[in-house]
Amino acid sequence: LRHGDGALDVTDGWRLLVVGAHAADFVWRAAGAIALHTRSGGNATVVALSYGERGESGDLWRVPGQTVEAVKVDRRREAEAAAAAVGADFVPFDLGDYPLRIDEAAEERLVELVVELAPQVLVTHPERDPFNPDHPVAFNAVERARKLATGAGGAPAAFATVPPPALYVFEPHQPEQCGFVPNVFLDITPVFDQKLEGMKAMASQTFLQQHYEQRAEQRAVQARYYGATAECRYAEAFQRLTPALVERL
Ligand SMILES: [Zn+2]
């Protein structure tokens, strides 16, 4: 992901922050972007607001006598392995899922993290999702944290602020129903093996692996209409929400 001005200074530290409602959300939707980012020397952090222990741990709930605590332990191990596969730090907030709720302390923690990391790029869920109770909650928390961390357009404030990160949303499960209109495509072919390793690490949601491999192939076909070559076999799609500041058109 590029900051948008085409002149991002990697020597100053290129920082990406991805926030998901559940432990695995980043894997299906942005693992390629993260791997490209870290492979080129950037630093990436993944926040999981919850482990997705109740609502998004499908296969683990087939185990007789399963408990929420045991599922959380498994999900944490899986997500840490997936994050490691793409070179990212994994930060679990453990706020609970289905429903995910952002209390005052969680909001403060998220703002502090944005200020501390000062990412140039921030990625989360789209605002709307008619099929998921938690993804829009994550969007709203991230959008609000971004505003609280950046203040009013760079003017001095009573609190610590950081330069405004570009805000992107990653691809939801049902793009059309979520109003997701991608305007940024990323060729992830060079790092697809890392994304695959990350997806395989999420053993509790095996049914999604093939699905997201196919999605990446479809996005690659579309990316060719925007200039990608035939060598682009896998792509991820994003929607950039904040305007880009450019030096030239
Ligand atoms: Zn999710």
Side-chain angles (χ1 to χ4, degrees):
L1 291 182
R2 289 224 162 258
H3 189 198
D5 57 12
L8 204 58
D9 187 358
V10 182
T11 55
D12 175 42
W14 193 9
R15 297 171 300 273
L16 168 68
L17 175 59
V18 179
V19 182
H22 311 108
D25 290 331
F26 77 96
V27 182
W28 322 114
R29 318 174 198 295
I34 295 167
L36 280 172
H37 184 90
T38 56
R39 187 179 274 203
S40 58
N43 171 276
T45 302
V46 170
V47 167
L49 295 173
S50 80
Y51 291 110
E53 63 270 21
R54 284 158 47 87
E56 294 191 7
S57 300
D59 293 347
L60 291 173
W61 287 106
R62 295 183 210 285
V63 179
Q66 188 58 273
T67 67
V68 164
E69 285 312 311
V71 169
K72 277 161 69 168
V73 170
D74 274 8
R75 289 281 284 181
R76 178 174 186 146
R77 201 181 46 236
E78 288 180 1
E80 280 174 346
V86 293
D89 296 325
F90 181 75
V91 181
F93 272 32
D94 192 14
L95 300 174
D97 71 323
Y98 281 74
L100 169 67
R101 290 195 178 94
I102 310 293
D103 61 14
E104 211 172 299
E107 179 179 285
E108 224 164 89
R109 192 174 168 198
L110 194 54
V111 174
E112 274 168 18
L113 191 69
V114 174
V115 170
E116 184 193 319
L117 291 172
Q120 293 92 345
V121 180
L122 190 49
V123 187
T124 190
H125 299 268
E127 184 171 17
R128 205 149 55 80
D129 191 334
F131 305 104
N132 193 292
D134 298 343
H135 294 169
V137 174
F139 172 86
N140 285 310
V142 170
E143 198 202 25
R144 193 170 152 81
R146 181 183 177 279
K147 291 174 191 167
L148 288 168
T150 56
F159 47 90
T161 59
V162 292
L167 180 60
Y168 292 83
V169 295
F170 50 47
E171 175 149 16
H173 201 58
Q174 303 227 26
E176 297 86 353
Q177 307 299 333
C178 298
F180 177 76
V181 182
N183 53 18
V184 175
F185 282 69
L186 204 54
D187 178 1
I188 61 165
T189 313
V191 294
F192 194 72
D193 54 333
Q194 285 174 267
K195 176 159 185 169
L196 211 52
E197 194 187 329
M199 292 199 290
K200 282 183 181 151
M202 301 313 303
S204 55
Q205 290 174 293
T206 48
F207 58 100
L208 286 175
Q209 289 168 22
Q210 191 190 12
H211 183 86
Y212 277 95
E213 188 168 352
Q214 290 170 348
R215 186 78 64 95
E217 285 171 348
Q218 289 161 359
R219 291 304 189 190
V221 172
Q222 293 172 336
R224 287 178 203 149
Y225 287 80
Y226 316 126
T229 65
E231 271 97 76
C232 174
R233 291 182 51 225
Y234 302 100
E236 279 175 351
F238 297 85
Q239 186 172 355
R240 182 175 168 132
L241 299 188
T242 49
L245 175 68
V246 298
E247 287 173 356
R248 65 192 74 80
L249 292 184

